Amino acid sequence: MNLNKNVFLLAILPVIALVVLSAFMLEQQLSVIGQANKLKKVIQLSLLNNEVVHQLQKERGRSNVYLYRQNKSNFSLLSQQRLLTDNALNKRAQYLSIEQDKAIYPVSFLIINQMGSLVEKRENIDKLNITSKEAISFYSQMINPLIDSLLLPATPSKSKDVDDLLFSYFHLSKAKEYAGIERALLAKLLSQGGLNDQDEKEIIQTRAMEATHLQTFGIVANDSISSAYQNTIKDEAFINYAKIRRNRIAFINKQRWFEDATARIDLLHNIENEIAKSLLNQLDTIGQDNKQQLKISLLYGGMSIALTLLLFVKLLHNMAIERRYKKQLENQTEELHLFKLVVDNSHNGVVITSPAGIISYVNRHFCNMSGYEANDVLGKNPRIWSSGETAQETYRQLYKSLKEQGIWQGELKNKRKAGELYWTSTAIFPVKSIDGTVKSYVCIQKDITQQKKDKEQIEHLVNHDTLTGLPSLRLGRDRLAQAILSAKRHQLITAVMFIDLDGFKKINDTFGHSAGDKVLIAVGQRIVDLLRLTDTVARIGGDEFIVIMTDIKDEKAISQVAQKIINEVKRPIDYKNEQLFVTASIGIAQYPIHGSSSEELMQNADNAMYSIKDKGKNNFTFYH
């Protein structure tokens, strides 16, 4: 009888592990299906948001044309566009009246409260009581939150393909937004026939932002979307618009420009619709795949429960008929082999240890993932693949969670046998006997290294300039804010320099944008080489840079660095068979003398830079 009990216990432990594993897989699949359904609703709202964005962009362009060319023809076109905008807003409102779960749609009610303002602004436009700049600003304030909401589904998606489509959707929408702003700004040509220097500067900056988002779109878009985009840019409107852009703004054919600009924006919107179709198709595929996996999980769970009951019945039978013990033992051995076969072919790494942490089993997927063979790890502790880079607090939380909750889930940074580091999404839970004693621990791992790398790459693209590799304006502002906090804590000085290149536009016009890119890269590197590791150089757009100097004890050091930058920038830059020359105009503001916030310091440094430009350029000055 004792022998029968021992055999039963030996057979039941892997079965219990498989039951728990099946339950875990079932919970995961139900969670994924639920998230996919929520995600589909969020994306459907994002598509409606984007249609509103497209119509608002077109209304913004028509409004600016009407403001500059105040005739009945343009007012009629504007009125027709407003009807299209209202139709898109009504479709969005109808959807939100059905789907009102604010937990699922954290920004689903954006701009609803701005509808009254839209009516008011339209009346001001009709009466010509508003400037073009105010109209552009108002429409952009409505449009930008809706574009930003396109990235909201990336948080719960857990799918690289879906995330890539969402990021390509977002960056294409941002590029189209800047194309629309450019069209609105250039509408001034339709009436006045010319632009001042500030107008041209805004248009150049807008084109640069559009190019940056199109470049990022090209990186994250999948092959299908990239192919559709490449076919689109062969359209006559794209080709004509590229030719127009190469001309000086003052010489642009006004009517041809507006028609091609509008056609180009509509073509970009067609690409957005292609991405939207791909997103919904991808979600349908994910839903079907997970439903299939759910069926498999249910099958495994049912098999596990059925086999557990079968073993129990056989044990009772063997206790009554001892002579059938041998046959029963053979049946159990076959069933154990079946359980091992199921776990061995799992798509997750599975490790089973004793209560003391001694490895007793690893499946095939774990060996493929870690590079270790089973003989390398059996009888040893899982510490052999520890990277040493996982925080000790994570392990403390792991043991605490196992003790109090009976399961731990999290991310661990491990090391393969060859020494390569990799990340795993890990779940650990105990297998207990009937009396509650822990008999073993089951560890399930999934390799998420590539997901980590993709996330880091996207964060780098968001925070760094794609041309020079320098920090972007966003990262520069963040570091300036940190530098101000450090200076305040240690009672030191922090300085921000606003640098604008003199003569850069002439180089672009004379030698082309490739020469301009060469200058920007060279200047950025020269400035970096002059500074300390604790200082920051950021490109904030066009030919403008900022330098953030931290922990300054003597303000003379600021002037010395500024003079060094001026001397380095004016050195010639070799380009093909030419030597290119630019100089630097630098405005400086320092904390705490010239401001207590990053916004105030940057504004004052910018003002100082324009002051030195008015006085002859190629010099620096502090804010007064």
Side-chain angles (χ1 to χ4, degrees):
M1 188 178 295
N2 289 334
L3 180 60
N4 285 329
K5 288 183 178 180
N6 291 335
V7 172
F8 173 77
L9 291 176
L10 180 64
I12 203 66
L13 287 177
V15 177
I16 293 174
L18 189 55
V19 171
V20 176
L21 177 60
S22 299
F24 176 78
M25 292 173 62
L26 180 62
E27 180 185 1
Q28 290 293 97
Q29 294 302 325
L30 288 172
S31 175
V32 170
I33 291 173
Q35 287 177 343
N37 291 333
K38 291 181 180 179
L39 180 59
K40 189 171 183 178
K41 292 179 180 180
V42 176
I43 288 179
Q44 287 172 337
L45 175 62
S46 295
L47 302 183
L48 291 173
N49 285 343
N50 194 46
E51 183 58 29
V52 172
V53 167
H54 182 65
Q55 299 303 335
L56 285 171
Q57 288 170 336
K58 297 181 75 172
E59 183 175 331
R60 176 179 59 197
R62 285 294 176 192
S63 297
N64 273 274
V65 172
Y66 174 70
L67 288 172
Y68 284 119
R69 303 185 72 180
Q70 304 155 12
N71 56 49
K72 291 182 178 180
S73 174
N74 283 314
F75 183 78
S76 176
L77 292 173
L78 175 58
S79 300
Q80 293 173 21
Q81 178 55 49
R82 286 175 177 173
L83 292 175
L84 295 175
T85 303
D86 291 341
N87 184 49
L89 286 167
N90 289 335
K91 287 182 179 179
R92 182 179 182 277
Q94 290 173 4
Y95 182 84
L96 291 177
S97 67
I98 299 172
E99 299 293 342
Q100 297 182 350
D101 188 351
K102 294 185 180 181
I104 299 177
Y105 312 108
V107 293
S108 62
F109 297 88
L110 280 171
I111 80 166
I112 285 181
N113 295 329
Q114 298 185 29
M115 287 302 299
S117 299
L118 179 60
V119 173
E120 179 183 349
K121 294 296 181 184
R122 285 175 172 176
E123 292 175 353
N124 289 334
I125 291 170
D126 295 347
K127 297 176 181 178
L128 304 177
N129 290 336
I130 187 172
T131 66
S132 170
K133 188 173 183 179
E134 290 172 344
I136 292 174
S137 175
F138 171 75
Y139 280 103
S140 296
Q141 287 174 6
M142 293 185 70
I143 289 169
N144 285 328
L146 290 171
I147 293 178
D148 292 340
S149 73
L150 298 178
L151 281 181
L152 287 174
T155 301
S157 76
K158 297 183 180 179
S159 168
K160 183 179 183 302
D161 292 338
V162 172
D163 287 352
D164 285 348
L165 285 169
L166 287 169
F167 279 109
S168 61
Y169 197 18
F170 170 78
H171 286 289
L172 184 62
S173 297
K174 291 293 281 189
K176 186 164 72 71
E177 167 62 0
Y178 282 113
I181 292 175
E182 178 190 1
R183 182 181 63 174
L185 291 171
L186 282 168
K188 191 173 183 181
L189 283 171
L190 295 175
S191 63
Q192 299 179 3
L195 302 170
N196 58 36
D197 290 343
Q198 182 60 32
D199 293 333
E200 290 198 14
K201 181 178 179 181
E202 290 181 10
I203 290 170
I204 290 170
Q205 290 176 343
T206 300
R207 287 175 176 176
M209 293 302 296
E210 178 193 346
T212 297
H213 284 287
L214 282 177
Q215 185 176 12
T216 307
F217 162 78
I219 294 173
V220 299
N222 62 32
D223 293 341
S224 175
I225 299 303
S226 293
S227 177
Y229 177 74
Q230 292 302 318
N231 289 332
T232 298
I233 64 177
K234 296 175 183 177
D235 189 273
E236 184 179 1
F238 261 86
I239 297 172
N240 290 341
Y241 200 72
K243 292 178 181 178
I244 290 173
R245 273 189 168 180
R246 289 196 289 270
N247 295 330
R248 291 288 299 276
I249 292 175
F251 299 104
I252 290 177
N253 182 311
K254 304 170 188 176
Q255 189 61 38
R256 184 62 179 272
W257 156 76
F258 189 84
E259 293 173 358
D260 286 335
T262 301
R264 180 173 177 268
I265 291 172
D266 288 337
L267 287 169
L268 289 175
H269 187 55
N270 291 339
I271 299 297
E272 287 178 334
N273 291 335
E274 288 297 321
I275 298 175
K277 292 178 183 177
S278 296
L279 271 170
L280 294 176
N281 290 337
Q282 186 68 33
L283 287 174
D284 288 338
T285 300
I286 291 174
Q288 292 299 324
D289 289 345
N290 283 302
K291 287 179 181 178
Q292 187 64 30
Q293 291 296 325
L294 179 60
K295 292 179 181 178
I296 295 173
S297 298
L298 288 171
L299 178 61
Y300 284 169
M303 288 175 57
S304 302
I305 294 172
L307 290 171
T308 302
L309 292 174
L310 178 62
L311 285 173
F312 182 73
V313 170
K314 287 186 177 181
L315 173 64
L316 294 177
H317 185 69
N318 285 342
M319 293 173 62
I321 309 174
E322 189 69 27
R323 51 192 171 84
R324 297 181 58 187
Y325 172 75
K326 183 176 181 180
K327 183 174 179 59
Q328 177 67 24
L329 184 60
E330 291 174 354
N331 290 338
Q332 290 176 341
T333 302
E334 292 177 2
E335 288 157 5
L336 282 173
H337 177 72
L338 174 62
F339 301 149
K340 183 178 181 300
L341 185 64
V342 171
V343 176
D344 236 350
N345 288 280
S346 169
H347 291 293
N348 294 312
V350 178
V351 178
I352 300 177
T353 72
S354 69
I358 303 303
I359 299 170
S360 59
Y361 170 81
V362 292
N363 73 342
R364 186 182 308 161
H365 190 79
F366 168 82
C367 295
N368 295 336
M369 178 175 62
S370 67
Y372 287 99
E373 296 295 334
N375 292 335
D376 296 331
V377 298
L378 291 178
K380 298 180 180 178
N381 191 284
R383 283 192 295 268
I384 65 173
W385 59 75
S386 173
S387 66
E389 296 188 15
T390 301
Q392 290 299 314
E393 178 59 29
T394 300
Y395 290 114
R396 284 193 290 269
Q397 185 62 36
L398 185 158
Y399 296 128
K400 181 180 179 182
S401 181
L402 282 176
K403 181 178 180 181
E404 297 177 357
Q405 302 174 21
I407 189 171
W408 178 84
Q409 298 181 71
E411 296 179 355
L412 297 175
K413 194 172 187 180
N414 297 328
K415 182 170 64 176
R416 306 188 204 276
K417 184 177 180 180
E420 178 188 0
L421 300 180
Y422 68 105
W423 282 93
T424 63
S425 176
T426 304
I428 302 175
F429 51 88
V431 176
K432 298 181 180 180
S433 62
I434 296 177
D435 62 1
T437 303
V438 175
K439 295 296 183 181
S440 59
Y441 286 97
V442 177
C443 172
I444 302 173
Q445 297 181 330
K446 181 180 179 181
D447 192 334
I448 59 170
T449 307
Q450 188 59 47
Q451 297 175 24
K452 287 279 189 180
K453 290 180 179 178
D454 292 342
K455 183 178 179 182
E456 290 173 359
Q457 183 181 8
I458 292 171
E459 289 176 350
H460 181 82
L461 288 172
V462 170
N463 291 305
H464 289 80
D465 175 45
T466 55
L467 175 64
T468 63
L470 296 174
S472 63
L473 174 60
R474 174 181 175 181
L475 184 56
R477 282 178 173 166
D478 181 64
R479 291 188 179 176
L480 178 56
Q482 294 177 21
I484 291 172
L485 291 175
S486 177
K488 183 177 181 180
R489 187 182 305 114
H490 299 101
Q491 297 184 344
L492 295 172
I493 298 172
T494 284
V496 58
M497 298 181 183
F498 209 103
I499 303 172
D500 186 86
L501 301 184
D502 312 316
F504 178 77
K505 184 176 182 299
K506 182 178 180 182
I507 290 175
N508 262 344
D509 293 341
T510 304
F511 299 101
H513 289 289
S514 60
D517 291 345
K518 172 75 173 180
V519 170
L520 292 173
I521 294 170
V523 168
Q525 188 57 52
R526 288 179 182 181
I527 298 173
V528 169
D529 292 342
L530 289 173
L531 301 177
R532 302 167 297 174
L533 293 177
T534 55
D535 299 330
T536 296
V537 181
R539 181 187 174 207
I540 62 174
D543 59 345
E544 294 180 331
F545 299 81
I546 60 170
V547 170
I548 302 165
M549 296 181 63
T550 62
D551 299 334
I552 304 169
K553 298 179 181 178
D554 186 353
E555 47 182 58
K556 291 181 181 179
I558 303 173
S559 298
Q560 292 171 355
V561 171
Q563 188 59 53
K564 288 180 180 179
I565 291 174
I566 289 173
N567 293 340
E568 277 296 304
V569 170
K570 68 183 181 182
R571 288 196 302 106
I573 298 170
D574 294 329
Y575 176 72
K576 296 183 178 177
N577 296 324
E578 302 287 342
Q579 285 192 322
L580 309 178
F581 293 89
V582 291
T583 58
S585 294
I586 303 176
I588 306 172
Q590 61 185 53
Y591 171 87
I593 300 174
H594 302 137
S596 58
S597 69
S598 56
E599 291 80 7
E600 190 176 3
L601 288 176
M602 288 188 66
Q603 182 61 51
N604 289 338
D606 189 23
N607 292 336
M609 182 272 291
Y610 279 108
S611 172
I612 204 65
K613 273 186 172 290
D614 293 339
K615 294 178 181 179
K617 305 179 181 179
N618 192 28
N619 207 338
F620 71 90
T621 186
F622 286 83
Y623 173 73
H624 297 289

